[in-house]
Amino acid sequence: MGGPGFNRRQFMQATALTALASGTAVGGAQAKPSAPDTPVGWIDGAVPARHLGQTWGVPWPQGLYRPAQRFRLTDGSGAAVPVQSWPLAIWPDGSLKWSAHSIGAGVGTSGLTLSAGKAKEPAQPVTVTESADAILVTTGPRQWRIPVRGDRLIDSASVDGRLVLRDLRLVCLSQDQPDLTEAETVSQRRSIGTVSAVTVEQRGPVRAVVKLEGSHREGERSWLPFTIRLYFHAGAESVRILHSFIFDGDENRDFIRGLGVTASVPMSDAPHDRHVRFTGEGDGLWAEAVRPLTGLRRDPGKDYRQAQIDGRAIPPLSGMAETVSKRLDLIPTWGDFTLSQANADGFAIRKRTKPGHGWIDAQAGRRAGGLAYIGGAAGGAALAMADFWKRHPSRLDIRNAATDNAELTAWLWSPDAPAMDLRFYHDGLGIKTHPQEREALEITYEDYEEGWGRPYGIARTTELHLWSLPATPLRDWFTEVAGILAAPPRLMAPPTRLRAVPIFGDWDLVSRSSPARARIEDQADFLLNLYRDQVEQRRWYGFWHYGDVMHSYDSDRHEWRYDIGGYAWANSELSPDLWLWYSFLRTGRADIFRLAEAMTRHTGEVDVCHIGPYKGFGTRHGVQHWADSSKQPRVSNAAYRRIYYYLTADERVGDLMRDLVDSDRTLANVDISRKLPNPSPPGVIEAGFGTTWSSLLAAWLTEWERTGDKRWRDRITNGMRSIAALKVRWMAGGAPYDLETGKFFGPGDKIGISHLSAVFGAVEVHAELLALLDVPEYRAAWLEYCTFYNAPAAEFRAKFGQDARGRGLRLAHSRLTAYAAYHLKDPALAARAWAEFADKGEQIAGTRIRIAGNAVLNPVDEVAGMSTNSVSQWGLAAYQNLALIGDALPQD
């Protein structure tokens, strides 16, 4: 009824808020004196045994609260839970649209309810103290010292005044050749991350956030700019680390061999009281001591063996058999340990006594949990990387554990792996002219142009966690933490509550109230489950790949077209990001949330140029995520990020969207239609209304909502009014665009429709904008486009006096017809929309077939002709048609 984890009481609360929101008029909201409570639950349904701190967003009806509104949180028993709240977005009238809320780490709680009121303070609040050279963050008994400059992210961490960790740093290993097969010698280099700016973004009492910016230094060279955010929660033993970097090297000579985060852990316990831990698959745990007391020829005694196995300090040596106690120094100490995840299906653990001696194979498995620990009775530290095996090649290292200072490292890119090779995948095939490039596009669907397929400016964000611990935790602690890393608990308002406020355009909750609706919902589930399973079956994992899906299928090979030009990685083509996010909004399914989250992390980072000549533009779909020469705002589109941002208040995604607000300026240097003549004068570009301007609208809308800065609203309305002034309005497809004012101009008297104009978030962002901005002439122009895009040829010609080419994707555009039907209250249009949706030429096949044996390498499922374009657009059309004209759905 409301997604997993939500009960009937919470459903009724959300229903009450729906009634409240339905009485609030856009543009002229009247504030209400009070509002029903807001339920908050765990998306997995079950209450987690432990979590590391939570942050989530909640939407509010226009006019209900001011941005400074305070909130309180209570649990199922009515007891107050400490919560920290802040505004995320405002409505046009200045009232609160989205708020963010955070609770501290600890045991999961059920029946959480958010309401207006004063928040309870945590018993041990997070505090932030700034000085000239450092920032000190205190969380209960823990203190974390963050230098304001230099090569340390954290220079010390203590528990109850006892130092347990030092010198958290970033390290990069690189070389000038990919391997020795391409050169007689390979020159290797080491660069260290150096912080140049530190900003305290939040100061508690429940949550503190510190942002660090800098780059890696290698002698006089500065490269690989990074942004690190450190998140501290009340009650947490750990700090969450969000690590983002941009590749700004030369892919032909800068081959990254290792990229990691490393720290020093003081060792004062005796070697037999020093413990090493690696989490394996599921509840698996590899647990050993630096000096093992088990398996010896002479038995030290069960109490000693058991203490070491448990991770406790052993009893006094005076009680140990002398045959062992007098010979402890003769037992080898193991100083170095490595867990290496080479691929999605295999990891290996090795150890050695110290450098200069051979490695010993210890254990192996499939998918490691991604957490390493070193420490003892006097304290220790654990370091974990989220999605560890999914982002292979990854590695965890413990070094010098038998000395006074151990080193603990999480390698985002493992030094065991071949060096990161980002070079273009083919030699250009002799293509030198635009006619040849167009011919190549015809055969492989790849937009190739020499020099345009570089990885310069791409980025990647990785989540890590670092624990400062007073002693080695019990084994159950590692089991609990491994579960958190494998499926991070998430608090969220239920779908009923999210739907109670007009956010994110036209969508509605799942309903099987009629056989026809049930068939559509069954097909939607079928497709979601298919893609969820394809990620696993096709091993769409890896450091640069995880989060993306493939574009098109090759039924002959029973393989996605991973090696064919523009048919390989999807790179947001036709909005799979939005399909997944609207699927989550409707269902509340945790598995879909995690698919969408991974895609948002990937497509917003890897598929976008964050610096350089293509800054702010994404790369069209291709064999490598960055290799296609078409750089466009349709891929960097903020519409693909904003749902995740508002649901989670994620600062990094907020940064990515903010970086796009002036990306239209890049159009002056990057002509999307560059293979054709462009006679535009300086400061003017030819811009399409759909894949270009509509893709920029989401960034401007989001910035206006977040800041209240009306210049972004005005830039939007400048475009709206100028499009409406053209002779054929939206049907022109595009027009000359003034970069300074954001206005289109010219006669706009020729039909220039593209089948792509409305399928990159244009429909969704317009549904939001037209509910916020009253621009009657533009509303009429958009409704005209929605009415006539799929209209019969005779009707189109009668309206515009011209014929239209390029009106493809009939099913996808049925939701435009539905939009017009709803707003014009036209039953005939509603009937036409459902007929368009049922277009047999574009229907999604529904037979899932198992392919096994020698036809494939591994057993896989396939649906003939699988296409991410078709699936994404079918899903979005289904959801929006049901929301707008569901009552007109034919039962046959």
Side-chain angles (χ1 to χ4, degrees):
M1 180 164 54
F6 304 103
N7 58 34
R8 181 169 179 80
R9 176 180 64 86
Q10 294 171 327
F11 173 76
M12 295 304 293
Q13 291 170 339
T15 303
L17 190 63
T18 303
L20 172 62
S22 65
T24 303
V26 172
Q30 181 178 358
K32 304 294 180 178
S34 62
D37 296 339
T38 292
V40 183
W42 304 95
I43 63 173
D44 287 289
V47 178
R50 177 193 295 265
H51 67 92
L52 306 179
Q54 294 290 313
T55 301
W56 71 97
V58 176
W60 301 101
Q62 185 170 191
L64 182 62
Y65 293 132
R66 305 310 300 167
Q69 175 66 45
R70 296 191 296 180
F71 293 93
R72 66 191 300 267
L73 189 69
T74 55
D75 63 18
S77 68
V81 177
V83 64
Q84 181 174 317
S85 305
W86 62 98
L88 285 179
I90 58 175
W91 290 99
D93 67 351
S95 62
L96 181 66
K97 184 173 186 180
W98 280 91
S99 59
H101 310 274
S102 189
I103 61 172
V107 176
T109 306
S110 63
L112 291 171
T113 302
L114 186 73
S115 57
K118 184 178 180 180
K120 179 184 177 181
E121 291 267 332
Q124 293 184 314
V126 179
T127 63
V128 177
T129 305
E130 296 184 67
S131 65
D133 58 353
I135 296 166
L136 190 66
V137 180
T138 302
T139 57
R142 290 172 172 77
Q143 286 193 326
W144 309 81
R145 189 176 187 277
I146 304 164
V148 298
R149 65 187 65 83
D151 61 0
R152 304 292 189 270
L153 307 180
I154 296 174
D155 68 6
S156 67
S158 61
V159 182
D160 291 322
R162 187 170 60 199
L163 182 69
V164 296
L165 180 138
R166 287 196 300 254
D167 302 338
L168 182 70
R169 296 170 295 153
L170 302 179
V171 61
C172 176
L173 309 177
S174 61
Q175 54 193 45
D176 61 352
Q177 299 289 335
D179 52 49
L180 281 172
T181 62
E182 299 196 12
E184 294 182 1
T185 61
V186 172
S187 175
Q188 296 190 342
R189 307 179 296 272
R190 180 184 181 92
S191 52
I192 302 296
T194 303
V195 175
S196 58
V198 176
T199 306
V200 178
E201 295 184 324
Q202 288 191 330
R203 301 175 177 275
V206 173
R207 177 187 195 248
V209 183
V210 181
K211 178 182 177 182
L212 302 92
E213 298 171 278
S215 60
H216 291 72
R217 296 292 176 86
E218 172 195 311
E220 296 299 315
R221 185 189 189 193
S222 177
W223 74 310
L224 296 182
F226 64 80
T227 299
I228 302 288
R229 277 189 172 88
L230 305 176
Y231 293 85
F232 304 88
H233 282 83
E237 303 170 307
S238 61
V239 54
R240 176 176 176 250
I241 304 169
L242 205 63
H243 171 287
S244 306
F245 82 99
I246 299 174
F247 181 81
D248 63 343
D250 180 344
E251 69 275 18
N252 294 301
R253 65 182 184 89
D254 289 317
F255 299 89
I256 294 175
R257 189 55 185 266
L259 188 66
V261 179
T262 185
S264 175
V265 183
M267 295 279 101
S268 59
D269 294 290
H272 46 261
D273 282 334
R274 301 180 187 183
H275 310 120
V276 175
R277 303 286 187 265
F278 289 122
T279 55
E281 188 163 10
D283 294 341
L285 180 66
W286 191 84
E288 292 201 358
V290 170
R291 176 183 284 155
L293 298 179
T294 60
L296 298 173
R297 184 178 183 185
R298 303 300 180 191
D299 184 10
K302 181 178 180 180
D303 290 346
Y304 294 90
R305 288 184 281 111
Q306 192 61 50
Q308 197 175 70
I309 291 295
D310 292 343
R312 297 178 283 111
I314 67 170
L317 292 179
S318 59
M320 185 185 289
E322 289 189 359
T323 54
V324 179
S325 63
K326 289 185 175 181
R327 296 184 174 92
L328 287 178
D329 291 343
L330 299 179
I331 301 173
T333 55
W334 299 89
D336 297 347
F337 304 80
T338 286
L339 185 154
S340 182
Q341 183 82 48
N343 53 59
D345 293 305
F347 71 85
I349 299 174
R350 299 183 301 158
K351 67 180 186 179
R352 68 181 178 185
T353 54
K354 58 184 176 181
H357 298 270
W359 288 94
I360 303 300
D361 293 330
Q363 258 292 0
R366 289 182 68 236
R367 293 169 169 178
L371 182 146
Y373 168 84
I374 177 64
L383 182 59
M385 174 180 160
D387 296 323
F388 181 76
W389 61 267
K390 296 174 183 176
R391 287 168 172 258
H392 65 81
S394 47
R395 194 171 98 179
L396 298 170
D397 282 349
I398 294 168
R399 295 288 185 267
N400 305 319
T403 70
D404 291 342
N405 285 286
E407 290 183 3
L408 180 60
T409 305
W411 291 101
L412 286 58
W413 185 277
S414 169
D416 286 344
M420 188 186 294
D421 193 343
L422 306 182
R423 294 174 296 179
F424 195 76
Y425 79 102
H426 68 67
D427 62 4
L429 308 173
I431 298 172
K432 296 296 182 184
T433 66
H434 285 169
Q436 288 175 315
E437 289 164 0
R438 288 194 291 272
E439 285 298 309
L441 185 63
E442 284 297 315
I443 187 65
T444 66
Y445 200 34
E446 179 175 66
D447 189 334
Y448 172 80
E449 187 168 334
E450 188 173 1
W452 284 62
R454 297 188 59 204
Y456 188 90
I458 65 173
R460 196 57 161 139
T461 290
T462 305
E463 179 177 336
L464 303 106
H465 296 266
L466 175 66
W467 286 262
S468 61
L469 298 163
T472 302
L474 298 177
R475 287 173 178 254
D476 286 348
W477 182 92
F478 291 96
T479 301
E480 288 184 358
V481 170
I484 291 172
L485 294 173
R490 278 282 186 183
L491 280 177
M492 201 77 66
T496 48
R497 172 62 179 81
L498 296 172
R499 185 64 188 89
V501 179
I503 53 167
F504 305 138
D506 301 317
W507 60 279
D508 210 343
L509 303 175
V510 173
S511 170
R512 289 182 165 83
S513 58
S514 71
R517 277 184 174 270
R519 286 196 297 274
I520 293 175
E521 297 293 358
D522 289 346
Q523 178 78 342
D525 284 348
F526 173 85
L527 295 172
L528 288 168
N529 295 340
L530 174 68
Y531 269 75
R532 177 199 62 198
D533 296 345
Q534 288 293 297
V535 172
E536 168 63 12
Q537 293 178 7
R538 308 292 176 165
R539 299 303 191 269
W540 289 336
Y541 301 122
F543 181 82
W544 289 111
H545 304 320
Y546 179 58
D548 207 352
V549 297
M550 287 279 172
H551 183 284
S552 298
Y553 197 67
D554 180 351
S555 296
D556 294 327
R557 287 189 287 178
H558 308 294
E559 179 63 82
W560 290 84
R561 300 191 223 180
Y562 72 95
D563 57 348
I564 304 296
Y567 288 114
W569 292 110
N571 281 32
S572 295
E573 183 74 354
L574 270 64
S575 306
D577 322 59
L578 287 175
W579 167 53
L580 291 179
W581 278 123
Y582 281 100
S583 297
F584 172 73
L585 291 173
R586 303 178 76 245
T587 66
R589 283 176 52 176
D591 57 344
I592 302 306
F593 177 90
R594 294 189 177 107
L595 277 176
E597 179 180 42
M599 184 171 286
T600 300
R601 286 278 185 231
H602 170 92
T603 58
E605 302 272 5
V606 181
D607 299 346
V608 176
C609 296
H610 302 270
I611 58 174
Y614 316 121
K615 181 182 182 296
F617 285 7
T619 300
R620 176 183 175 271
H621 43 100
V623 171
Q624 292 166 297
H625 301 285
W626 51 85
D628 198 271
S629 295
S630 178
K631 311 298 183 186
Q632 296 197 33
R634 76 190 203 193
V635 181
S636 56
N637 199 336
Y640 300 150
R641 330 283 176 230
R642 54 188 271 110
I643 295 177
Y644 179 72
Y645 172 74
Y646 284 128
L647 291 178
T648 66
D650 185 88
E651 284 85 0
R652 173 59 180 171
V653 171
D655 289 348
L656 296 178
M657 293 191 297
R658 180 157 288 155
D659 285 346
L660 299 175
V661 295
D662 58 357
S663 58
D664 56 344
R665 308 255 175 203
T666 304
L667 291 165
N669 304 313
V670 182
D671 182 8
I672 293 171
S673 58
R674 64 198 178 284
K675 293 180 173 63
L676 301 173
N678 180 12
S680 300
V684 173
I685 54 97
E686 286 288 332
F689 302 151
T691 57
T692 300
W693 183 72
S694 289
S695 297
L696 297 167
L697 288 180
W700 298 334
L701 166 61
T702 307
E703 191 67 7
W704 175 36
E705 289 182 326
R706 291 172 67 185
T707 66
D709 188 339
K710 292 181 174 55
R711 62 177 164 151
W712 304 113
R713 177 205 63 188
D714 294 344
R715 193 163 189 86
I716 293 170
T717 55
N718 282 349
M720 286 178 160
R721 292 191 172 99
S722 57
I723 290 173
L726 302 177
K727 184 172 183 179
V728 295
R729 296 158 297 281
W730 248 84
M731 293 299 176
Y737 174 81
D738 188 323
L739 290 169
E740 188 61 34
T741 64
K743 295 179 180 179
F744 292 91
F745 60 92
D749 55 355
K750 298 289 190 295
I751 301 295
I753 291 177
S754 168
H755 65 295
L756 297 180
S757 290
V759 294
F760 285 88
V763 176
E764 292 77 14
V765 76
H766 273 81
E768 287 196 73
L769 277 175
L770 293 175
L772 298 172
L773 293 171
D774 187 18
V775 185
E777 64 271 35
Y778 185 79
R779 184 183 304 276
W782 178 248
L783 283 169
E784 177 185 71
Y785 185 74
C786 292
T787 301
F788 285 95
Y789 178 91
N790 265 347
E795 289 184 22
F796 192 97
R797 190 181 308 110
K799 171 67 177 178
F800 297 101
Q802 304 176 50
D803 291 324
R805 297 179 180 178
R807 292 193 295 160
L809 300 177
R810 177 179 167 83
L811 182 153
H813 286 81
S814 69
R815 64 194 200 271
L816 273 72
T817 310
Y819 184 89
Y822 176 83
H823 288 278
L824 296 174
K825 297 179 174 56
D826 188 331
L829 281 178
R832 197 189 88 192
W834 282 118
E836 293 162 1
F837 181 74
D839 186 343
K840 298 301 182 184
E842 295 185 18
Q843 275 299 299
I844 305 297
T847 304
R848 182 166 169 168
I849 302 172
R850 188 72 166 176
I851 309 295
N854 62 13
V856 288
L857 179 63
N858 298 303
V860 294
D861 295 335
E862 73 176 26
V863 174
M866 289 187 290
S867 162
T868 300
N869 282 1
S870 298
V871 167
S872 302
Q873 287 298 304
W874 183 93
L876 289 169
Y879 301 159
Q880 291 163 28
N881 289 352
L882 287 172
L884 292 166
I885 55 169
D887 55 353
L889 175 63
Q891 293 309 301
D892 57 354

